[in-house]
Structure formats: C-alpha cells, structure tokens
C-alpha cells in the first residue's frame, strides 16, 4: 500500500495563488484570461473577489450581500479554524456533510478567523497546487501522501486555505466510501481514514501553505463524522502525550450517529492466525480503551465471537474537547437508547460538553432573488401561483390553480419515510376526504429500487395527478419547492434536515415527523397555532400522517387566509448560517477557555 515517489519534474510547483501565472499562458487562452483580468480591474474587483462557489444542494453561490449581521462577538478570532472533513463541496460530495463543511469554511473565514479546510483528494482538482510530500508509518508500511493547496478569497483580505490530501487509496472509480456496483464499503476504509487523520494533523504545524506562515499549534480543529473520528484520538494519544497541541482544541461534529465507522478488533476466526487492527493504527495501548466497543451476546455473529470492535465515533466522543450535533433535539435523542445507536451512554457521560446547533441554509434560498424559478415572489405570495402553474406544465400534471400540491424530495429509503407516503397514496388520490380530494402529488429522489418502482407505479396509476421522478435534479428540486403547497418529510429520524427549511423560505408548508432538526425548525400548528410554520406528525405511523395531511388540506381549501398567514410566518424564519455560526463561536470560546482533554 506504499505509494510511489511522485515525479517532481511533472508537478505544478506554483503553490502561491497570488503569484503572476499569466506569463505561462499561451495563445487564445492567454488572450481570454487577460481580457477577464482587464474587465475585473475596470470594475474595481479582483477575480478572487468575484469568484463564487456552489455551497448548497442546488446550484447556488455564496452571496456576500445577503450575509446576516453578527449577533455574537467572538473572543477568539485570532485562533485559526481547521475544518477536517471527508468531503467538501464543490470538490467532493455524497451528501449533506459536503454542504455543511463548505459553509463552515466560508463563514468562519468571513468572521475573521484564519481558516483551513482539509479533505481527501479523490480526483485531480483544478487550481489545487502541490505543496509537499510526507510519509506516515501505518498498517505495517510507510505511506507517502502529497498535499495540494487552493486558496479561495472572499474579499477584504479574508479567505480559506483548502488543503487536499492525496494518496492512491482515496482515488476510486466508485463512491467516496463504498463500491457503487455492490454497495459494499471499501475493505480498507479504516486504513484510508486513519491515514487521512494523521495527515491532517500535520498540516497546521508542518506546512507553509502557499508560502504563508504556518498555522501553528494553537488552532481549533472541527472534525466531522466517523471518517475523522481518529483525529481527536491521535491528537490526545500521539500529540498531547508528547507535549504537542496542548493549546489546540477539537470540536467533534456528529452529523448522523447512525454511521459510526465500526471495524473488527481482530480479523480471523478464533483459534486461527488473527490480524490485529488496533496494532496497525500506530496508537499506544492506552488508546484502546477509548476506541473499543463490545457488542452484547445476542448481537454476536458466530461461536467464539468476542464482539470486540474498534468504533471510531466512540473514540472521537471520548477524546474530543466538545461534541456538537446538528440540532438541539438530536442532541437529546442521541443520549437515549432509541437514538444513540448503542453509544448513548458514552454521549450522556459527556453531556456537559455536548450541544446541538441547528444548521443553516444558503442565502440563495430566497424567492425574492431566485432567478431559477418561474416567478420571483415575496411575502405577498403573488408569484407563487405562477411557480405552481409552471411545475404542473413541466411535470405533466393537470393544470389546475385550485389543486393542492403535496411534494417529497429526498433519498428513497425507509429512514426518509417514503414507505409511509407510499402507504397513503391510494387514500390521497381516491378517498373523498370530506370533499378535499383535489390533490396532486410530486415525489422525487434516488435510492432503493423498490421505492423507485413505487414512484413509477404511482405515476402510471394516476397520470396527470402524480409525478414520480426516480432520479434527482437540483433545478427540479427548486421548482418543486417553489411550486408546491405542502412538503412531506416523515423521516424516522433526522439529525437536522435542510429541505424543510428551504421549503419554508418559499412559503411551502412542511409536514414533518417531530424528531431531530425537523422538530426544532418547524413550529407545529397543533401546539403553537398563532406562531406555527408547519405541522408535526406524532407518533409516526400511517394513520397519523393521514390525519396531518387531512388537516393541512382543510386549511388549504376551507381556511385559506389562515394558511396564507402560516406561509408568511414560515417565510420570515431566520435559518441563516450567520445565526448558526454565532452559536458555534460561543461554544468555540467556551472550548478554548476549558483545559484540553488529556485522555482517561
């Protein structure tokens, strides 16, 4: 697994993005770029200041003009932030983590922190310049990784250093973490992300990015999910144990505790030659207690199975300086047997250092400025009807201004509750519902084949009333959210959830299960009628979902003025990242004020 030494003569050695690169250009390419530079200079802005990057699930960009005012005055702006993540938009993305990590990078930088974001290099990235090569001893060999750097400016001298860790093990033709052909996790993921965590810890203290001074040992690491779970473990047991990173802190963000990074402690059957996974990680024996998790007897799979595993998330929980998760209710849920996925006792044991902060959404989710929808509109909702008409035409639904459109956009899995929606389809389409039957249904998503077939069956059975889109399009997602009346999100669990917040910005009323971030972001009509912004489903079952849909339809057809007021309240909610970063800064300060975690 040892990588070859790179051919230095073939590499791009121009690490500093501020250097003059135009002299190396030729022909038409040079003429085009020189013209762009002249135009930028005439406009009084640098190319970096005008640069935009997609930061959300649809095609949108950071909009400096729309940044909300800062409400919390941070006390440690001089402390650099180092975001360590297995994916970051727009370079790599398998889900919401990439979006959130990109927002961390942008928002901490614009707050004034010197900011770095570190991610694996899954492919060749344009504009990422080679910095150096370092070697790490791991899994019985010496492995070389190469570091690449891209600086993104956000104006006013602020920006983010994006660092990419390159090793052959990261470059796979399938998904980031698993093989797409058989949906199996890569067998060397423990090695891949142990190497990544070790390599990430080297960057602040050992690499001068683009010729700039090193970040140094007093930084705030923000590690994300199981793929970076070993980072706080290495920091405590390999660095702090020898006097390094004593001034640094690590906040570990749990985006979804359902994914933990669990690997056998030993490979091989009892009584045979066994391979010790822990011994390959280069950690002292003291770290084993933080990483090991033993399954109960009834969960073991064969005779002689000890049930001992290495759990990377458990190690991170034990060793980090503060635990952050992505909504207040989810922070409560992961301390319970129902929501803690076997780690509830370890999370509860660190409750004093646990907080839930609701994620934000990108400022481009704004119907008053969104040019990608059929008609812009504000709280007067004057253009929403045109968005509905456009959606009906585009998706082949009957054009009917009076029809109530219910919609679902999400992964086609049981976790998202698409099976519950499926069980209600016949009732939605055929039941009289006390005269509230003029309903249309739009469902879109990728995922399990049986649910994809269900979408196709529903559309073919009720042509003109149902659109079942087995796939995903960011543009269609925007159009569905803008043109729908209600947005269905009956997730069995949802750490944060983004679509329900986006829907509210467009006056589309969310119907959500009262769990995690769905409960925190949506004020229920059943409990907060005067301030409500949507509906909670509780308990989560078919009958409850039908009841809530019926109540929503009752408002739509029988009490439209009350529904319009609810729409306006929903559109007025503050789901900005500025609000979320205020809370992050507050816990940043408290974490820096606390002593570092030294291990147990």
């Amino acid at each position: 697994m040892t990588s070859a030494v790179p051919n230095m003569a073939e590499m791009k050695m121009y690490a500093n993005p501020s250097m003059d690169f135009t002299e190396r250009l030729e022909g038409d390419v040079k003429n085009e770029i020189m013209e762009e530079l002249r135009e930028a200079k005439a406009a009084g802005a640098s190319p970096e200041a005008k640069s935009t990057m997609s930061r959300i699930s649809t095609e949108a960009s950071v909009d400096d003009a729309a940044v909300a005012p800062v409400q919390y005055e941070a006390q440690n702006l001089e402390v650099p932030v180092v975001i360590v993540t297995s994916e970051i938009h727009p370079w790599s993305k398998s889900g919401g983590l990439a979006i959130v990590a990109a927002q961390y990078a942008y928002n901490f930088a614009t707050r004034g922190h010197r900011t770095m974001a570190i991610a694996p290099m899954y492919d060749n990235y344009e504009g990422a310049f080679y910095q150096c090569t370092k070697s790490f001893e791991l899994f019985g060999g010496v492995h070389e990784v190469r570091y690449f750097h891209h600086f993104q400016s956000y104006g006013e001298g602020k920006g983010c250093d994006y660092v990419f860790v390159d090793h052959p093990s990261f470059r796979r033709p399938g998904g980031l973490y698993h093989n797409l052909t058989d949906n199996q996790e890569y067998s060397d993921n423990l090695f891949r992300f142990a190497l990544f965590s070790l390599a990430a810890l080297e960057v602040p203290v050992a690499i001068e990015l683009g010729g700039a001074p090193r970040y140094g040992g007093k930084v705030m690491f923000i590690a994300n999910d199981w793929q970076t779970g070993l980072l706080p473990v290495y920091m405590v047991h390999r660095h702090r144990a020898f006097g390094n990173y004593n001034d640094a802190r690590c906040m570990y963000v749990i985006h979804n505790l359902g994914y933990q990074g669990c690997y056998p402690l030993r490979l091989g059957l009892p009584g045979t030659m066994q391979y010790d996974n822990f011994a390959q990680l280069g950690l002292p024996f003291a770290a084993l207690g933080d990483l090991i998790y033993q399954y109960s007897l009834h969960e073991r799979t064969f005779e002689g199975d000890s049930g001992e595993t290495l759990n990377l998330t458990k190690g991170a929980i034990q060793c980090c300086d503060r635990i952050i998760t992505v909504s207040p209710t989810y922070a409560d849920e992961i301390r319970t047997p129902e929501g803690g996925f076997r780690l509830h006792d370890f999370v509860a044991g660190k409750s004093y250092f646990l907080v839930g902060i609701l994620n934000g959404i990108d400022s481009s989710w704004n119907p008053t400025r969104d040019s990608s929808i059929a008609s812009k509109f504000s709280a007067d909702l004057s253009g929403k009807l045109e968005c509905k008409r456009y959606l009906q035409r585009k998706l082949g639904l009957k054009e009917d201004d009076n029809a109530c459109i219910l919609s679902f956009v999400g992964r086609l899995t049981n976790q998202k509750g698409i099976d519950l929606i499926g069980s209600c389809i016949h009732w939605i389409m055929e039941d009289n519902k006390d005269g509230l039957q003029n309903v249309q249904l739009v469902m879109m998503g990728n995922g399990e084949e049986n649910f994809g077939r269900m979408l196709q069956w529903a559309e073919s059975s009720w042509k003109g009333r149902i659109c079942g889109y087995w796939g995903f399009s960011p543009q269609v997602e925007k159009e569905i959210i803008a043109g729908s009346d209600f947005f269905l999100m009956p997730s069995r669990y949802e750490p944060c959830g983004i679509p329900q917040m986006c829907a509210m910005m467009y006056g589309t009323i969310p119907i959500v299960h009262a769990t995690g971030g769905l409960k925190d972001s949506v004020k229920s009509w059943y409990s907060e009628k005067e301030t409500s912004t949507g509906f909670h489903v509780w308990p989560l079952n078919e009958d409850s979902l039908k009841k809530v849909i019926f109540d929503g339809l009752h408002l739509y057809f029988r009490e439209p003025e009350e529904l319009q007021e609810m729409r306006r309240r929903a559109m007025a909610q503050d789901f900005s990242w500025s609000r979320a970063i205020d809370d992050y800064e507050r816990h940043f300060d408290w974490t820096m004020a606390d002593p570092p975690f030294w291990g147990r």
Side-chain angles (χ1 to χ4, degrees), residues 239-310:
H239 288 268
R240 284 180 182 165
F242 296 97
N244 302 319
Y245 279 134
N246 288 344
D247 293 327
R249 302 290 186 272
C250 179
M251 298 197 300
Y252 180 65
V253 185
I254 298 174
H255 298 270
N256 189 336
L257 194 57
Y259 301 92
Q260 299 178 2
C262 299
Y263 301 95
L265 177 61
R266 302 176 191 88
L267 295 176
L269 295 174
T272 67
M273 182 75 71
Q274 291 189 321
Y275 181 84
D276 189 334
N277 261 333
F278 176 75
Q280 312 306 314
L281 295 175
L283 284 163
F285 185 74
L288 180 59
D290 291 325
L291 284 167
I292 195 167
Y293 178 84
Q294 188 170 31
Y295 284 95
S296 302
L297 282 170
H298 71 277
E299 295 181 295
R300 301 177 192 178
T301 55
F302 54 85
E303 185 176 354
D305 181 7
S306 68
E308 294 174 311
T309 61
L310 298 175

Side-chain angles (χ1 to χ4, degrees), residues 530-541:
E530 298 303 317
T531 59
S532 60
T533 58
F535 294 85
H536 287 176
V537 180
W538 182 262
L540 184 64
N541 56 48

Side-chain angles (χ1 to χ4, degrees), residues 172 174-189 192 263:
R172 298 284 164 81
L176 303 186
Y177 318 120
H178 65 285
N179 193 325
L180 295 179
T181 56
D182 57 10
N183 205 33
Q184 295 297 307
E185 181 181 3
Y186 295 130
S187 60
D188 62 344
N189 268 355
R192 297 170 80 214
Y263 301 95

Side-chain angles (χ1 to χ4, degrees), residues 419-463:
D419 57 312
L420 289 174
I421 297 175
S423 67
C424 296
I425 288 177
H426 189 275
W427 174 82
I428 292 171
M429 292 291 105
E430 297 295 341
D431 192 275
N432 182 57
K433 296 182 290 296
D434 193 28
L436 310 176
Q437 73 271 34
N438 189 8
V439 182
Q440 297 176 347
L441 177 63
V442 177
M443 299 174 288
M444 179 176 77
N446 277 317
E448 298 173 20
E449 182 177 355
N450 58 318
F451 294 127
R453 300 295 181 196
M454 182 193 77
L455 265 58
Q456 293 177 333
W457 160 81
E459 179 173 321
S460 62
S461 300
W462 289 277
K463 201 71 177 175

Side-chain angles (χ1 to χ4, degrees), residues 308-597:
E308 294 174 311
T309 61
L310 298 175
N311 188 306
L312 306 193
T313 298
K314 185 210 166 195
I317 289 169
Q318 298 288 81
C319 293
C320 70
D321 297 293
R322 191 166 295 265
I323 306 168
I324 295 178
T325 192
V326 291
S327 69
T329 295
Y330 193 59
D332 293 334
E333 291 173 351
I334 62 176
R335 287 180 281 184
T336 67
E338 295 80 9
F341 294 94
R342 303 182 183 88
L343 296 185
H344 52 281
D345 287 336
F346 302 105
V347 177
K350 217 162 178 179
S351 291
Y352 186 78
F353 302 99
L354 169 69
V355 65
I357 300 174
L358 189 69
N359 284 339
I361 59 174
D362 190 273
S363 59
S364 66
W365 287 96
N366 185 337
T368 65
R369 299 183 294 112
D370 191 347
S371 58
S372 68
I373 59 177
S375 176
K376 298 176 186 178
F377 59 92
S378 60
D380 65 3
L381 299 166
S382 57
K384 189 167 177 66
L385 180 58
E386 182 54 41
C387 291
K388 172 185 279 191
R389 292 168 177 165
Y390 178 82
L391 183 67
Q392 289 172 330
R393 289 195 300 271
K394 181 166 184 174
L395 300 185
L397 300 174
K398 179 183 177 182
E399 294 186 41
D400 183 350
D401 292 352
N402 297 318
C404 180
I405 300 181
L406 310 178
S407 63
F408 167 88
V409 178
R411 291 198 313 277
L412 303 182
T413 64
N414 276 314
Q415 188 236 319
K416 297 297 184 183
I418 185 63
D419 57 312
L420 289 174
I421 297 175
S423 67
C424 296
I425 288 177
H426 189 275
W427 174 82
I428 292 171
M429 292 291 105
E430 297 295 341
D431 192 275
N432 182 57
K433 296 182 290 296
D434 193 28
L436 310 176
Q437 73 271 34
N438 189 8
V439 182
Q440 297 176 347
L441 177 63
V442 177
M443 299 174 288
M444 179 176 77
N446 277 317
E448 298 173 20
E449 182 177 355
N450 58 318
F451 294 127
R453 300 295 181 196
M454 182 193 77
L455 265 58
Q456 293 177 333
W457 160 81
E459 179 173 321
S460 62
S461 300
W462 289 277
K463 201 71 177 175
R465 295 186 64 197
I466 292 182
C467 173
Y469 190 146
W470 186 9
F472 181 78
S473 163
Q475 177 59 31
V476 176
E477 178 191 30
K478 268 280 183 78
E479 292 162 355
I480 290 173
I481 287 176
S484 299
D485 297 297
F486 293 93
F487 191 85
L488 305 178
M489 220 169 158
S491 304
R492 285 180 166 80
Y493 74 94
E494 194 69 63
C496 177
I498 296 297
Q500 82 281 2
M501 293 189 272
C502 298
M504 283 187 272
M505 294 296 95
Y506 287 72
T508 299
I509 301 302
I511 294 176
V512 303
H513 178 207
T515 184
L518 303 180
K519 182 179 179 181
D520 293 326
S521 58
V522 178
K523 299 173 185 176
S524 179
W525 183 74
Y526 298 112
S527 58
E528 308 174 63
K529 193 168 185 178
E530 298 303 317
T531 59
S532 60
T533 58
F535 294 85
H536 287 176
V537 180
W538 182 262
L540 184 64
N541 56 48
E542 179 183 338
D543 290 336
S544 293
L545 182 56
K546 287 178 180 177
K547 167 68 166 61
V548 177
I549 292 174
F550 178 87
D551 289 340
L553 294 176
H554 175 83
L555 282 188
Y556 181 86
F557 289 109
R558 306 276 166 79
E559 300 182 50
E561 284 304 316
E562 183 171 342
L563 181 65
Q564 292 294 78
E565 287 303 314
M566 186 187 291
R567 292 188 198 272
R568 294 185 182 100
R569 289 193 297 269
M571 295 176 71
Q573 298 301 296
D574 179 13
F575 297 123
S576 68
W577 267 103
S578 181
R579 169 202 50 79
I581 295 298
D582 281 340
D583 285 337
Y584 273 92
E585 291 282 14
R586 186 176 292 108
H587 288 275
F588 188 123
D589 289 342
W590 292 343
T591 305
M592 292 302 300
D594 289 336
F597 180 79

Side-chain angles (χ1 to χ4, degrees), residues 38-103:
R38 283 191 291 270
E39 291 176 358
K41 184 175 180 180
S46 68
E48 291 85 6
K50 293 175 67 177
S51 178
T52 59
M53 281 192 182
S54 179
R55 287 287 182 264
I56 58 169
S57 60
T58 57
E59 296 175 357
S61 303
V62 170
D63 185 350
D64 294 331
V67 173
V70 174
Q71 300 295 327
Y72 175 75
E73 186 176 346
Q75 304 301 306
N76 287 279
L77 287 176
E78 77 284 355
V79 177
V81 173
V82 180
I83 300 141
V84 186
T85 175
S86 60
E87 54 186 84
I88 189 164
H89 197 61
W91 294 279
S92 53
K93 182 177 182 290
S94 72
L97 172 59
I99 309 301
V100 174
Q103 286 288 357

